[in-house]
mmCIF file of all heavy atoms in Angstrom:
data_model
loop_
_atom_site.group_PDB
_atom_site.id
_atom_site.type_symbol
_atom_site.label_atom_id
_atom_site.label_comp_id
_atom_site.label_asym_id
_atom_site.label_seq_id
_atom_site.Cartn_x
_atom_site.Cartn_y
_atom_site.Cartn_z
ATOM 1 N N ASN P 670 29.085 12.249 31.729
ATOM 2 C CA ASN P 670 28.182 12.611 30.619
ATOM 3 C C ASN P 670 28.703 13.862 29.919
ATOM 4 O O ASN P 670 28.164 14.953 30.093
ATOM 5 C CB ASN P 670 26.768 12.879 31.166
ATOM 6 C CG ASN P 670 26.191 11.686 31.900
ATOM 7 O OD1 ASN P 670 26.458 10.536 31.556
ATOM 8 N ND2 ASN P 670 25.394 11.949 32.935
ATOM 9 N N PRO P 671 29.750 13.730 29.134
ATOM 10 C CA PRO P 671 30.384 14.929 28.549
ATOM 11 C C PRO P 671 29.631 15.451 27.321
ATOM 12 O O PRO P 671 30.211 15.574 26.250
ATOM 13 C CB PRO P 671 31.777 14.420 28.170
ATOM 14 C CG PRO P 671 31.561 12.972 27.853
ATOM 15 C CD PRO P 671 30.412 12.492 28.691
ATOM 16 N N TRP P 672 28.355 15.768 27.484
ATOM 17 C CA TRP P 672 27.563 16.267 26.365
ATOM 18 C C TRP P 672 27.305 17.760 26.560
ATOM 19 O O TRP P 672 27.709 18.336 27.555
ATOM 20 C CB TRP P 672 26.236 15.507 26.268
ATOM 21 C CG TRP P 672 26.334 14.061 26.637
ATOM 22 C CD1 TRP P 672 25.656 13.409 27.630
ATOM 23 C CD2 TRP P 672 27.184 13.065 26.048
ATOM 24 N NE1 TRP P 672 26.013 12.098 27.690
ATOM 25 C CE2 TRP P 672 26.942 11.852 26.737
ATOM 26 C CE3 TRP P 672 28.113 13.078 25.012
ATOM 27 C CZ2 TRP P 672 27.613 10.667 26.415
ATOM 28 C CZ3 TRP P 672 28.772 11.897 24.698
ATOM 29 C CH2 TRP P 672 28.519 10.718 25.387
ATOM 30 N N ASP P 673 26.588 18.373 25.619
ATOM 31 C CA ASP P 673 26.246 19.786 25.822
ATOM 32 C C ASP P 673 25.288 19.891 27.006
ATOM 33 O O ASP P 673 24.745 18.892 27.479
ATOM 34 C CB ASP P 673 25.650 20.391 24.547
ATOM 35 C CG ASP P 673 24.300 19.812 24.222
ATOM 36 O OD1 ASP P 673 23.332 20.137 24.935
ATOM 37 O OD2 ASP P 673 24.205 19.003 23.278
ATOM 38 N N ARG P 674 25.094 21.113 27.476
ATOM 39 C CA ARG P 674 24.383 21.341 28.741
ATOM 40 C C ARG P 674 23.006 20.669 28.823
ATOM 41 O O ARG P 674 22.678 20.000 29.795
ATOM 42 C CB ARG P 674 24.241 22.854 28.899
ATOM 43 C CG ARG P 674 24.436 23.323 30.287
ATOM 44 C CD ARG P 674 24.395 24.837 30.326
ATOM 45 N NE ARG P 674 23.845 25.204 31.616
ATOM 46 C CZ ARG P 674 24.545 25.241 32.743
ATOM 47 N NH1 ARG P 674 25.826 24.939 32.734
ATOM 48 N NH2 ARG P 674 23.959 25.555 33.876
ATOM 49 N N LEU P 675 22.211 20.857 27.776
ATOM 50 C CA LEU P 675 20.850 20.315 27.843
ATOM 51 C C LEU P 675 20.848 18.794 27.787
ATOM 52 O O LEU P 675 20.094 18.127 28.501
ATOM 53 C CB LEU P 675 19.982 20.904 26.725
ATOM 54 C CG LEU P 675 19.682 22.392 26.862
ATOM 55 C CD1 LEU P 675 18.718 22.845 25.778
ATOM 56 C CD2 LEU P 675 19.114 22.740 28.238
ATOM 57 N N ALA P 676 21.722 18.247 26.934
ATOM 58 C CA ALA P 676 21.817 16.790 26.846
ATOM 59 C C ALA P 676 22.336 16.225 28.163
ATOM 60 O O ALA P 676 21.857 15.196 28.650
ATOM 61 C CB ALA P 676 22.731 16.398 25.684
ATOM 62 N N PHE P 677 23.300 16.916 28.753
ATOM 63 C CA PHE P 677 23.840 16.496 30.055
ATOM 64 C C PHE P 677 22.714 16.405 31.092
ATOM 65 O O PHE P 677 22.592 15.423 31.830
ATOM 66 C CB PHE P 677 24.897 17.515 30.513
ATOM 67 C CG PHE P 677 25.318 17.373 31.954
ATOM 68 C CD1 PHE P 677 26.385 16.556 32.303
ATOM 69 C CD2 PHE P 677 24.634 18.052 32.953
ATOM 70 C CE1 PHE P 677 26.766 16.428 33.639
ATOM 71 C CE2 PHE P 677 25.009 17.924 34.283
ATOM 72 C CZ PHE P 677 26.072 17.106 34.627
ATOM 73 N N LYS P 678 21.867 17.424 31.135
ATOM 74 C CA LYS P 678 20.785 17.434 32.119
ATOM 75 C C LYS P 678 19.799 16.298 31.864
ATOM 76 O O LYS P 678 19.353 15.624 32.787
ATOM 77 C CB LYS P 678 20.038 18.780 32.067
ATOM 78 C CG LYS P 678 20.870 19.940 32.601
ATOM 79 C CD LYS P 678 20.177 21.279 32.409
ATOM 80 C CE LYS P 678 19.016 21.452 33.368
ATOM 81 N NZ LYS P 678 18.376 22.785 33.169
ATOM 82 N N GLU P 679 19.491 16.095 30.604
ATOM 83 C CA GLU P 679 18.503 15.069 30.262
ATOM 84 C C GLU P 679 19.033 13.679 30.602
ATOM 85 O O GLU P 679 18.334 12.862 31.211
ATOM 86 C CB GLU P 679 18.181 15.177 28.767
ATOM 87 C CG GLU P 679 16.913 14.444 28.416
ATOM 88 C CD GLU P 679 16.535 14.608 26.950
ATOM 89 O OE1 GLU P 679 16.742 15.714 26.403
ATOM 90 O OE2 GLU P 679 16.031 13.640 26.373
ATOM 91 N N VAL P 680 20.281 13.414 30.203
ATOM 92 C CA VAL P 680 20.853 12.093 30.450
ATOM 93 C C VAL P 680 21.004 11.855 31.950
ATOM 94 O O VAL P 680 20.709 10.777 32.460
ATOM 95 C CB VAL P 680 22.209 11.948 29.717
ATOM 96 C CG1 VAL P 680 22.924 10.675 30.132
ATOM 97 C CG2 VAL P 680 21.984 11.968 28.220
ATOM 98 N N THR P 681 21.450 12.888 32.679
ATOM 99 C CA THR P 681 21.656 12.733 34.122
ATOM 100 C C THR P 681 20.329 12.442 34.827
ATOM 101 O O THR P 681 20.251 11.549 35.679
ATOM 102 C CB THR P 681 22.310 14.003 34.703
ATOM 103 O OG1 THR P 681 23.546 14.220 34.025
ATOM 104 C CG2 THR P 681 22.575 13.860 36.192
ATOM 105 N N ALA P 682 19.282 13.161 34.467
ATOM 106 C CA ALA P 682 17.966 12.936 35.095
ATOM 107 C C ALA P 682 17.513 11.498 34.832
ATOM 108 O O ALA P 682 17.013 10.807 35.717
ATOM 109 C CB ALA P 682 16.945 13.933 34.549
ATOM 110 N N ARG P 683 17.725 11.050 33.616
ATOM 111 C CA ARG P 683 17.330 9.693 33.249
ATOM 112 C C ARG P 683 18.120 8.647 34.041
ATOM 113 O O ARG P 683 17.572 7.664 34.532
ATOM 114 C CB ARG P 683 17.584 9.531 31.750
ATOM 115 C CG ARG P 683 16.855 8.422 31.099
ATOM 116 C CD ARG P 683 17.292 8.355 29.651
ATOM 117 N NE ARG P 683 16.536 9.260 28.803
ATOM 118 C CZ ARG P 683 15.293 9.005 28.389
ATOM 119 N NH1 ARG P 683 14.691 7.898 28.774
ATOM 120 N NH2 ARG P 683 14.677 9.843 27.609
ATOM 121 N N GLN P 684 19.445 8.895 34.165
ATOM 122 C CA GLN P 684 20.279 7.944 34.906
ATOM 123 C C GLN P 684 19.838 7.858 36.361
ATOM 124 O O GLN P 684 19.805 6.781 36.952
ATOM 125 C CB GLN P 684 21.748 8.381 34.853
ATOM 126 C CG GLN P 684 22.402 8.111 33.512
ATOM 127 C CD GLN P 684 23.756 8.788 33.393
ATOM 128 O OE1 GLN P 684 24.051 9.757 34.106
ATOM 129 N NE2 GLN P 684 24.582 8.292 32.488
ATOM 130 N N ALA P 685 19.515 9.008 36.950
ATOM 131 C CA ALA P 685 19.110 9.015 38.358
ATOM 132 C C ALA P 685 17.820 8.202 38.531
ATOM 133 O O ALA P 685 17.715 7.366 39.435
ATOM 134 C CB ALA P 685 18.917 10.451 38.838
ATOM 135 N N LEU P 686 16.859 8.432 37.647
ATOM 136 C CA LEU P 686 15.602 7.673 37.729
ATOM 137 C C LEU P 686 15.864 6.187 37.504
ATOM 138 O O LEU P 686 15.264 5.325 38.145
ATOM 139 C CB LEU P 686 14.611 8.198 36.686
ATOM 140 C CG LEU P 686 14.028 9.580 36.977
ATOM 141 C CD1 LEU P 686 13.318 10.135 35.753
ATOM 142 C CD2 LEU P 686 13.053 9.504 38.163
ATOM 143 N N ASN P 687 16.807 5.906 36.608
ATOM 144 C CA ASN P 687 17.085 4.499 36.310
ATOM 145 C C ASN P 687 17.747 3.790 37.487
ATOM 146 O O ASN P 687 17.465 2.620 37.736
ATOM 147 C CB ASN P 687 17.955 4.390 35.056
ATOM 148 C CG ASN P 687 17.973 2.986 34.506
ATOM 149 O OD1 ASN P 687 16.924 2.318 34.477
ATOM 150 N ND2 ASN P 687 19.137 2.502 34.111
ATOM 151 N N GLN P 688 18.610 4.481 38.211
ATOM 152 C CA GLN P 688 19.226 3.849 39.387
ATOM 153 C C GLN P 688 18.152 3.454 40.389
ATOM 154 O O GLN P 688 18.182 2.391 40.980
ATOM 155 C CB GLN P 688 20.259 4.779 40.040
ATOM 156 C CG GLN P 688 21.518 5.018 39.210
ATOM 157 C CD GLN P 688 22.195 3.724 38.779
ATOM 158 O OE1 GLN P 688 22.097 2.689 39.409
ATOM 159 N NE2 GLN P 688 22.889 3.778 37.656
ATOM 160 N N LEU P 689 17.168 4.334 40.566
ATOM 161 C CA LEU P 689 16.084 4.019 41.493
ATOM 162 C C LEU P 689 15.266 2.835 40.959
ATOM 163 O O LEU P 689 14.930 1.911 41.699
ATOM 164 C CB LEU P 689 15.193 5.257 41.693
ATOM 165 C CG LEU P 689 13.933 5.038 42.533
ATOM 166 C CD1 LEU P 689 14.279 4.514 43.930
ATOM 167 C CD2 LEU P 689 13.134 6.334 42.655
ATOM 168 N N ARG P 690 14.980 2.862 39.664
ATOM 169 C CA ARG P 690 14.210 1.755 39.074
ATOM 170 C C ARG P 690 14.906 0.421 39.313
ATOM 171 O O ARG P 690 14.289 -0.565 39.710
ATOM 172 C CB ARG P 690 14.038 1.978 37.563
ATOM 173 C CG ARG P 690 13.295 0.854 36.856
ATOM 174 C CD ARG P 690 13.273 1.046 35.348
ATOM 175 N NE ARG P 690 14.570 0.869 34.716
ATOM 176 C CZ ARG P 690 15.030 -0.286 34.240
ATOM 177 N NH1 ARG P 690 14.294 -1.378 34.306
ATOM 178 N NH2 ARG P 690 16.228 -0.358 33.685
ATOM 179 N N LEU P 691 16.230 0.399 39.073
ATOM 180 C CA LEU P 691 16.982 -0.859 39.221
ATOM 181 C C LEU P 691 16.962 -1.330 40.678
ATOM 182 O O LEU P 691 16.829 -2.522 40.949
ATOM 183 C CB LEU P 691 18.418 -0.685 38.716
ATOM 184 C CG LEU P 691 18.534 -0.463 37.204
ATOM 185 C CD1 LEU P 691 19.963 -0.081 36.810
ATOM 186 C CD2 LEU P 691 18.085 -1.711 36.429
ATOM 187 N N ARG P 692 17.083 -0.374 41.611
ATOM 188 C CA ARG P 692 17.042 -0.760 43.033
ATOM 189 C C ARG P 692 15.677 -1.321 43.401
ATOM 190 O O ARG P 692 15.559 -2.262 44.158
ATOM 191 C CB ARG P 692 17.360 0.452 43.934
ATOM 192 C CG ARG P 692 18.842 0.681 44.092
ATOM 193 C CD ARG P 692 19.481 -0.555 44.745
ATOM 194 N NE ARG P 692 20.935 -0.596 44.539
ATOM 195 C CZ ARG P 692 21.546 -1.119 43.471
ATOM 196 N NH1 ARG P 692 20.846 -1.678 42.509
ATOM 197 N NH2 ARG P 692 22.850 -1.106 43.379
ATOM 198 N N LEU P 693 14.623 -0.705 42.833
ATOM 199 C CA LEU P 693 13.266 -1.165 43.155
ATOM 200 C C LEU P 693 12.980 -2.529 42.526
ATOM 201 O O LEU P 693 12.126 -3.265 42.999
ATOM 202 C CB LEU P 693 12.231 -0.136 42.692
ATOM 203 C CG LEU P 693 12.235 1.195 43.457
ATOM 204 C CD1 LEU P 693 11.322 2.209 42.778
ATOM 205 C CD2 LEU P 693 11.819 0.991 44.907
#
Side-chain angles (χ1 to χ4, degrees):
N670 302 327
W672 325 121
D673 68 72
R674 219 175 149 81
L675 292 185
F677 168 90
K678 290 174 73 179
E679 196 177 323
V680 171
T681 302
R683 199 184 275 283
Q684 285 169 339
L686 289 167
N687 195 41
Q688 291 307 333
L689 174 58
R690 178 186 70 91
L691 293 171
R692 277 299 161 274
L693 292 171

